[in-house]
């Protein structure tokens, strides 16, 4: 199936996609800061360069985009209809890289919390959901959980 956008339009769209300081990342970080949690952004000394590093809790926080990181069962984790082979390979490499990052951080005794983009979208739409998710994040940090996904 042919792409519905011209190559120039597609290129412009893809160029707008940011790899760091995305709206979901900023939203979660601001909410955590308001709750008194302090972190460093995109720490290069921590393997995998987490979106937020909470040193006090020895926790790497990742805000994963559902599309790019293949959130299982999520409506945002669709596969484009054009260039299916290209996208399948790209997504597979992303998933493999995520697994390596998880394994290396766990080897180092670092706790990992992943917040999915779809969760952040729900947080932005509903104050109730926002509070529920922030409570889950807080519980994870205070309980010294090793790995969690929200």
């Amino acid at each position: 199936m042919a792409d519905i956008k011209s190559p120039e339009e597609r290129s412009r769209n893809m160029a707008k996609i940011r790899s760091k300081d995305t709206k979901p990342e900023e939203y979660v970080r601001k909410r955590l800061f308001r709750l008194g949690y302090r972190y460093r952004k995109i720490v290069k000394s921590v393997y995998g360069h987490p979106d937020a590093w909470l040193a006090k809790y020895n926790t790497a926080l990742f805000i994963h985009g559902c599309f790019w990181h293949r959130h299982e069962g999520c409506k945002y984790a669709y596969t484009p209809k054009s260039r299916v082979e290209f996208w399948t390979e790209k997504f597979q490499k992303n998933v493999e890289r995520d697994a390596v990052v998880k394994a290396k951080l766990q080897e180092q005794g670092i706790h990992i919390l992943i917040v999915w983009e779809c969760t952040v979208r729900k947080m932005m739409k509903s104050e109730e959901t926002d509070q529920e998710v922030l409570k889950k994040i807080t519980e994870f940090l205070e309980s010294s959980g090793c790995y969690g996904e929200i």
Side-chain angles (χ1 to χ4, degrees):
M1 180 172 185
D3 197 345
I4 59 172
K5 296 191 179 289
S6 71
E8 294 79 21
E9 287 176 302
R10 180 65 60 211
S11 179
R12 276 195 303 275
N13 284 358
M14 296 306 283
K16 289 179 185 176
I17 297 171
R18 298 166 66 177
S19 63
K20 59 184 177 182
D21 293 333
T22 63
K23 287 180 184 177
E25 289 172 21
E26 289 179 352
Y27 182 83
V28 172
R29 288 192 300 236
K30 284 179 182 179
R31 303 295 288 146
L32 288 175
F33 192 86
R34 258 190 236 149
L35 292 174
Y37 291 97
R38 298 302 178 251
Y39 54 82
R40 288 177 39 215
K41 292 178 8 177
I42 310 158
V43 178
K44 295 190 181 198
S45 62
V46 178
Y47 192 82
H49 307 186
D51 300 312
W53 167 243
L54 294 100
K56 179 178 177 180
Y57 303 93
N58 193 35
T59 299
L61 174 68
F62 294 93
I63 312 299
H64 275 349
C66 299
F67 177 78
W68 297 106
H69 296 272
R70 310 316 293 161
H71 187 198
E72 223 174 290
C74 180
K75 69 179 182 179
Y76 301 115
Y78 64 91
T79 302
K81 291 179 175 63
S82 62
R83 302 181 65 205
V84 175
E85 191 175 305
F86 165 82
W87 286 108
T88 303
E89 184 179 330
K90 183 164 188 59
F91 294 144
Q92 185 59 38
K93 286 179 184 174
N94 288 351
V95 170
E96 289 169 4
R97 184 172 50 250
D98 290 343
V100 168
V101 167
K102 178 183 173 186
K104 289 208 179 191
L105 291 176
Q106 286 179 327
E107 276 175 26
Q108 297 171 3
I110 294 174
H111 308 290
I112 304 159
L113 180 61
I114 295 171
V115 179
W116 289 99
E117 171 193 11
C118 59
T119 302
V120 179
R121 286 182 183 215
K122 290 174 190 169
M123 289 172 72
M124 291 174 166
K125 290 180 183 174
S126 163
E127 183 65 31
E128 186 179 323
T129 304
D130 182 74
Q131 294 304 313
E132 287 173 17
V133 172
L134 289 172
K135 184 178 180 199
K136 287 179 183 177
I137 293 171
T138 300
E139 287 171 355
F140 178 86
L141 293 172
E142 300 297 337
S143 72
S144 299
C146 293
Y147 178 79
E149 290 186 27
I150 301 173

